[in-house]
Amino acid sequence: MRIPMIDLARQHQALAAELGAAWQRLAGQGQFVGGAEVEALQGEIAQRIGVRHAIGLANGTDALHLTLRAAGIGAGDEVVTSPYTFIATAGAIVHAGARPVFADIDPRSFNLDPAAVAAAITPRTRALLPVHLFGQPAEMQPLLALAQQHGLAVIEDCAQSFGATIGGVATGALGLAGTYSFYPTKNLGACGDAGAVVTDDDALAARLRRLANHGAGAPQEYLEVGYNSRLDALQAAALRIKLRHLDGWNAARARIAAHYDELLADLPLVRPQRGGGRDHIFHHYTVLLERRDEVAAALRAEGIASAVHYPRPLYRQPALAAYAPAAPLPVVEDVCRRCLSLPMYPELQAQELDTVAGALARALGR
Ligand SMILES: *Cc1c(COP(=O)(O)O)cnc(C)c1O
């Protein structure tokens, strides 16, 4: 049995008729960028997250970059973020002209360690950029307290956490703004690239809309030099269809994670943490184990995919070497050496989980 990391075809087969009808309707109208479908999606996302504004954008990287710019963060400013995330998180800080400052992570949640964040704050710090990694909310209460104490903006990278909550509040609704990616493999994915920002701040929302559309104030009037980061109508239509299924899919991910937990309970590995009033939606199911690369190769030999999220701390990427901390951060170094993500998507069947667990047990010599 061959088991991939994610099987987007399974999801799209079930939605093919609905997606096809929406696409035909929009093509018939000649509506391809912006318009009623995008407006409707923005309203549905804002309502779903519980904020006043959602702004559809071209992708999740732009969502981060334009939010930092709209918040007035740029040259000379520092933004404290995680070294254990996709490169776009830190790349957006560099794009905005600011400096990413990496703080170490918590070994159990894989998210920013609030004590390490506190130690990384300097007089130049302007914002905190936590990531709700793998779908588990970051420890937001201490981060929000630090931000308040030091007068910092908090921008949440929610690219992996659509629908995750903390004490019933959606990720994205806790800070100044939350940014989303709808890249196809995310837990809410479009049929191409797409992204969004959510915020309760009217001025930030207005500036974001402007920046995403060439800085236009009124038609043919440009107040600042902006960007082209508009959302396609076709992607908005696909996202509206998929948004209606998201709760079911997130619940399926949680069931699959609980099933993995049972199957892997006796193996020599560290299973994902959850709890603390934080509702994990399992964008990825990531374990820590020794001899990671050998284990991955053994799985691959049995036709089972796995993935390393992420093989090195961001400051060890050549592109970001200039932002390396004075000394390596010990927790993220260890996690990068031992992490392995197992196949995770809502359509995974119980029998497939048994197959993954069996192969993993053999790979670990059990
Ligand atoms: C995917 C992702 C992004 C970037 O989103 P794109 O839509 O690919 O530009 C940013 N941050 C995190 C944590 C991500 O997983």
Side-chain angles (χ1 to χ4, degrees):
M1 192 190 296
R2 209 192 125 266
I3 302 177
M5 275 304 284
I6 180 167
D7 187 347
L8 290 176
R10 276 192 203 178
Q11 183 178 93
H12 287 98
Q13 272 154 20
L15 302 177
E18 235 181 321
L19 289 170
W23 290 26
Q24 277 198 337
R25 176 166 48 78
L26 289 167
Q29 293 166 357
Q31 179 66 57
F32 294 108
V33 177
E37 205 71 38
V38 171
E39 295 295 325
L41 174 69
Q42 291 177 156
E44 287 165 12
I45 291 175
Q47 188 181 24
R48 166 75 205 234
I49 304 299
V51 294
R52 290 155 61 87
H53 306 281
I55 300 103
L57 299 172
N59 55 67
T61 308
D62 283 3
L64 284 162
H65 169 211
L66 300 190
T67 299
L68 288 160
R69 281 200 183 269
I73 291 158
D77 297 335
E78 293 179 355
V79 178
V80 180
T81 194
S82 173
Y84 190 54
T85 172
F86 182 55
I87 187 160
T89 310
I93 298 169
V94 176
H95 278 312
R99 181 180 178 83
V101 173
F102 296 108
D104 211 352
I105 58 171
D106 179 291
R108 294 300 290 115
S109 71
F110 303 143
N111 282 316
L112 273 174
D113 173 358
V117 171
I121 291 172
T122 76
R124 289 172 181 268
T125 308
R126 291 284 311 282
L128 306 182
L129 208 175
V131 182
H132 304 297
L133 198 74
F134 305 151
Q136 181 173 43
E139 226 185 298
M140 289 300 288
Q141 287 319 321
L143 296 181
L144 291 167
L146 277 173
Q148 190 165 34
Q149 187 188 335
H150 295 274
L152 312 174
V154 176
I155 296 165
E156 302 171 66
D157 184 341
C158 308
Q160 302 184 4
S161 75
F162 202 112
T165 59
I166 308 176
V169 180
T171 54
L174 292 125
L176 171 67
T179 67
Y180 294 87
S181 165
F182 304 124
Y183 184 75
T185 59
K186 307 290 169 153
N187 73 305
L188 177 61
C191 299
D193 276 308
V197 178
V198 299
T199 184
D200 267 327
D201 187 302
D202 297 346
L204 188 83
R207 181 99 194 272
L208 271 165
R209 287 195 185 95
R210 198 164 87 195
L211 278 174
N213 190 26
H214 298 292
Q220 304 289 6
E221 185 196 32
Y222 303 97
L223 301 173
E224 62 183 322
V225 176
Y227 301 82
N228 171 1
S229 186
R230 296 172 301 228
L231 179 60
D232 289 8
L234 295 176
Q235 300 309 338
L239 287 165
R240 291 186 69 203
I241 289 165
K242 291 191 176 192
L243 195 52
R244 296 198 282 274
H245 296 276
L246 187 71
D247 285 334
W249 289 335
N250 282 350
R253 288 174 182 275
R255 277 198 304 276
I256 290 165
H259 194 165
Y260 266 140
D261 280 349
E262 280 174 34
L263 293 171
L264 308 183
D266 297 328
L267 298 183
L269 50 76
V270 181
R271 291 168 290 156
Q273 182 210 43
R274 69 219 38 214
R278 294 177 298 175
D279 177 24
H280 197 326
I281 52 89
F282 289 98
H283 173 60
H284 290 309
Y285 185 94
T286 303
V287 300
L288 298 180
L289 40 71
E290 298 300 330
R291 300 186 303 112
R292 186 259 322 277
D293 296 338
E294 284 172 51
V295 170
L299 291 177
R300 197 161 46 245
E302 295 204 37
I304 293 163
S306 63
V308 176
H309 302 111
Y310 296 91
R312 37 182 152 166
L314 281 185
Y315 55 80
R316 287 199 186 275
Q317 292 292 352
L320 295 169
Y323 307 104
L329 305 175
V331 178
V332 69
E333 296 278 339
D334 177 56
V335 166
C336 286
R337 190 175 59 78
R338 294 195 293 147
C339 60
L340 191 68
S341 301
L342 303 180
M344 169 56 85
Y345 48 97
E347 298 79 11
L348 266 175
Q349 302 299 308
Q351 190 198 347
E352 294 172 311
L353 299 181
D354 291 340
T355 303
V356 174
L360 193 52
R362 279 189 293 281
L364 289 164
R366 295 298 169 105

